[in-house]
Amino acid sequence: MPTSSKKAIRTIMKIIFMHKDIPVGSFDIVPNTGRISSELIPENPEHLPLPVQYADDQTYALANWIRMRSISKSREDLAMLLSVYRVETPEALSFKNLGLNLSDQYWFQPEGADLQYDEVNLFIHDFEPIDLPIHHLSSFSPDSSSNGNLRKYWEIGEDSIRYLYKAGSRPFFQQPYNEVAAARILDLLEVPHVPYSVVKRDGEALSVCPTFIDSDTEYIPALDILGVSPQKKNESAFRHFQNCVKQLAIPMKPLDIPNLIAFDYLIQNSDRHYGNFGFLRDANTLAFKGIAPVFDNGNSLWYMDLTQNMRFKDQPAKPFRDTQEKQLKLAEGSALPLKNLSDDKLEQIVEESYLGADNVDTKRQKTILKNLKTARDYLKSQQSHWMPDQSIQH
């Protein structure tokens, strides 16, 4: 059968990369794959995302930043989403929705579209679930630029607040209930955090939380600051993080990070990676405001372990060390008010947080409670000989 000698013509689209109404650069993409097919041409470079701004190869850094900001390739519902929008990759899906999200003020404007941010800003405009066909601007969804492995989606509540709904995972679908338990513990520990609740839809438990960002602020994940200063030979991950915070003059309380590490030890959080803790920044002045409220605590409390295997020691940790015991050494000086976590309070939290959790039976709840008490008591013993008001510098 004869074949044509003509090569297939691939459509190219020019994108104006925007931060609110400030153009920060332009580049070309292949729309169905989202692949950047030209060099980034910077404009107003001080508004570029930090990983791009400080990179030697800004085009490569931009492609990586877009990938990290898009739906994970391991997301359960990815195939359906790609099919609906007739694209091949999560990055292409993000471009299809102008890269709009509810974490920052960056977005992608196709050349010639002549849009203003207030016309598409999802903090002030309605949007529809991403699995519906797009017919008008208000249907652009933040879901395509919400990363992470678990299935999630945004909705607008009757109070006009934007809420994130997030599912759990096999075998126990425990994460939504863990979010509630963790939030209640944080209440007693007097640590600023995002509130959580659980709803059931079609028999599935989902955690629900409001966005902590608005049109004039944005969330900068810790991951985004790590490139502002090269990591030196023999420099630990923790020290490198501290140096980047210092270079950017991010205002932080001395115990912000030690308290976060101690809390993660308490609930044995295995997934405090550099993307799910970070900082608040003024989107207009670019001035950092401080550490973001604690959020995303679901992958904790032995959420994947069989009840008989819910061991306390040698549990994995992130981001600075690989086990909870090793990482806790970086929390010296933590001053969490552990006295507020009485046995009665912990029992009440566990009993009430897992109401309706079909896969968390009484035996499993008792094991969670026992391990929480053990972690609390160990933290108390550590705090008794830590120096008060210790700086995070080590």
Side-chain angles (χ1 to χ4, degrees), residues 366-384:
K366 287 182 177 179
T367 306
I368 291 171
L369 177 61
K370 176 184 176 182
N371 285 349
L372 274 172
K373 291 178 180 178
T374 301
R376 176 206 58 194
D377 292 344
Y378 183 74
L379 282 175
K380 280 184 177 180
S381 71
Q382 294 301 298
Q383 285 190 356
S384 68

Side-chain angles (χ1 to χ4, degrees), residues 183-200:
R184 294 191 61 178
I185 290 171
L186 287 165
D187 279 338
L188 295 176
L189 295 178
E190 301 169 4
V191 175
H193 65 281
V194 175
Y196 281 86
S197 60
V198 171
V199 299
K200 280 194 174 182

Side-chain angles (χ1 to χ4, degrees), residues 124-187:
I124 61 176
H125 287 290
D126 292 347
F127 52 83
E128 297 176 8
I130 197 171
D131 58 341
L132 298 179
I134 288 181
H135 297 298
H136 47 81
L137 285 179
S138 65
S139 291
F140 285 119
S141 167
D143 297 346
S144 60
S145 294
S146 299
N147 59 14
N149 296 328
L150 292 177
R151 187 169 61 82
K152 62 179 72 171
Y153 56 88
W154 288 91
E155 284 189 3
I156 302 173
E158 294 181 359
D159 53 8
S160 297
I161 294 175
R162 277 65 178 149
Y163 289 94
L164 179 64
Y165 291 73
K166 189 174 179 181
S169 65
R170 298 179 186 277
F172 299 105
F173 301 95
Q174 188 177 316
Q175 292 101 319
Y177 300 96
N178 287 351
E179 295 285 13
V180 174
R184 294 191 61 178
I185 290 171
L186 287 165
D187 279 338

Side-chain angles (χ1 to χ4, degrees), residues 80-88 92-93 96-97 128-134 139-141 144:
M80 179 272 292
L81 299 176
L82 297 180
S83 175
V84 166
Y85 284 96
R86 300 179 182 179
V87 293
E88 299 176 16
L93 181 62
K96 197 86 171 181
N97 283 278
E128 297 176 8
I130 197 171
D131 58 341
L132 298 179
I134 288 181
S139 291
F140 285 119
S141 167
S144 60

Side-chain angles (χ1 to χ4, degrees), residues 261-332:
I261 291 172
F263 167 69
D264 281 343
Y265 177 85
L266 179 68
I267 66 169
Q268 298 287 287
N269 186 350
S270 63
D271 199 35
R272 184 71 67 199
H273 55 77
Y274 285 111
N276 68 10
F277 78 105
F279 311 96
L280 299 179
R281 186 174 76 167
D282 188 304
N284 302 305
T285 67
L286 305 182
F288 279 94
K289 304 174 73 172
I291 196 165
V294 179
F295 69 99
D296 203 353
N297 307 300
N299 286 0
S300 61
L301 298 168
W302 303 270
Y303 72 106
M304 288 187 66
D305 294 337
L306 296 175
T307 302
Q308 62 268 27
N309 294 335
M310 291 166 67
R311 299 181 178 89
F312 182 75
K313 291 186 177 181
D314 301 320
Q315 294 299 302
K318 292 177 183 178
F320 305 118
R321 300 285 174 83
D322 60 359
T323 69
Q324 295 290 341
E325 290 81 6
K326 291 177 183 176
Q327 187 158 269
L328 185 61
K329 294 178 181 179
L330 303 176
E332 183 175 344

